[in-house]
Amino acid sequence: MRKRGETATPVTERSGDQGALDATASAGKAPRTDRGRRTLRALLDAAAAEFGDKGFHEGSISGITRRAGVALGTFYTYFDSKDAIFRALVRDMSDQVRDHVAPMLRAAPDQIAAERAGLLSFLEFVRGHKEIYRIIDEAEFVDPESFHAHYSTTAERIEQRLKAAAARGEIRADVSAVHAWAIMGMNVFLGLRYGVWDEDRTPDAVADTVADMLRAGLAPK
């Protein structure tokens, strides 16, 4: 029998594993040393701050390098352009959410508890990284492919874990991509309302409400 969480993506470092971080650099510009990876990480973090504060069009490469504390030329060691680091940032932020949530999913005793834990962890992440909403929203127009990939891969992971739970008899057998997209959409807007716009309810309270709803809606028939 499969155990709960088998389909989850392995958790790694904050920005994903070394290979995932290296892959964010432009073609042929992946770092070859740990120092280079630290610089790449600093550039991505600086880009998150720059684009989060100013948006893509007003943000600049010079603003990114100032925030990262590196020379302007260092930027081009890793990225070809502002568009390139924006695409990398969308992928990196998606990986960060995945890596932040994954251990909570694996530790949960059943699937409803896992969905609750996933939402709770996401809300906590959003409160510390409010810029993610501006960056992901802008990606729809700046880089539609990255925007599509962010949501598609997230929904696919949810669908995989729902189907695994259905096979274990924990939830209804007819779960599908529709259920996965519904859960993802709910989480996205709950993050916007209770993570970005206002923090008038605790993440635990929000997650409890959603868990009660999912428990009734996904119960085995």
Side-chain angles (χ1 to χ4, degrees):
M1 180 181 291
R2 284 174 293 178
K3 296 181 180 179
R4 201 209 60 72
E6 267 186 351
T7 59
T9 304
V11 66
T12 54
E13 296 178 354
R14 176 175 178 267
S15 60
D17 60 24
Q18 177 176 304
L21 177 61
D22 290 356
T24 61
S26 294
K29 295 188 174 184
R32 299 180 180 180
T33 65
D34 289 340
R35 181 180 179 183
R37 292 184 186 96
R38 288 193 295 271
T39 301
L40 176 57
R41 176 74 264 158
L43 285 167
L44 288 168
D45 290 345
E50 178 75 1
F51 294 136
D53 287 346
K54 299 180 179 180
F56 174 78
H57 295 292
E58 295 300 321
S60 65
I61 292 173
S62 60
I64 292 170
T65 56
R66 280 197 301 271
R67 291 173 189 265
V70 300
L72 185 62
T74 301
F75 177 91
Y76 294 100
T77 301
Y78 302 97
F79 297 104
D80 292 335
S81 63
K82 185 171 77 167
D83 292 71
I85 196 170
F86 186 85
R87 287 194 299 272
L89 179 61
V90 173
R91 173 178 175 174
D92 180 66
M93 298 201 84
S94 185
D95 287 349
Q96 285 190 51
V97 173
R98 178 200 65 198
D99 296 343
H100 187 78
V101 170
M104 303 299 104
L105 296 175
R106 290 202 301 270
D110 58 61
Q111 196 57 41
I112 299 302
E115 297 307 323
R116 180 196 180 280
L119 174 57
L120 174 63
S121 184
F122 176 65
L123 289 171
E124 292 172 341
F125 180 88
V126 167
R127 288 188 176 190
H129 302 80
K130 297 179 189 290
E131 70 278 2
I132 189 173
Y133 274 84
R134 180 170 189 173
I135 291 165
I136 297 299
D137 285 351
E138 282 202 288
E140 182 179 7
F141 306 100
V142 176
D143 185 27
E145 184 177 348
S146 295
F147 178 81
H148 184 275
H150 170 73
Y151 285 116
S152 294
T153 56
T154 300
E156 286 167 7
R157 288 195 294 268
I158 295 173
E159 183 179 3
Q160 288 171 4
R161 68 183 186 242
L162 289 179
K163 288 185 173 179
R168 297 192 300 269
E170 292 180 11
I171 59 175
R172 58 192 296 168
D174 62 345
V175 289
S176 67
V178 174
H179 295 88
W181 280 86
I183 289 173
M184 180 182 68
M186 176 175 59
N187 291 352
V188 166
F189 279 95
L190 288 169
L192 182 63
R193 168 61 177 82
Y194 296 106
V196 177
W197 288 355
D198 206 334
E199 298 183 10
D200 54 338
R201 292 195 183 187
T202 67
D204 274 300
V206 176
D208 283 342
T209 299
V210 171
D212 287 343
M213 185 168 61
L214 291 179
R215 191 173 292 109
L218 294 178
K221 293 185 176 181

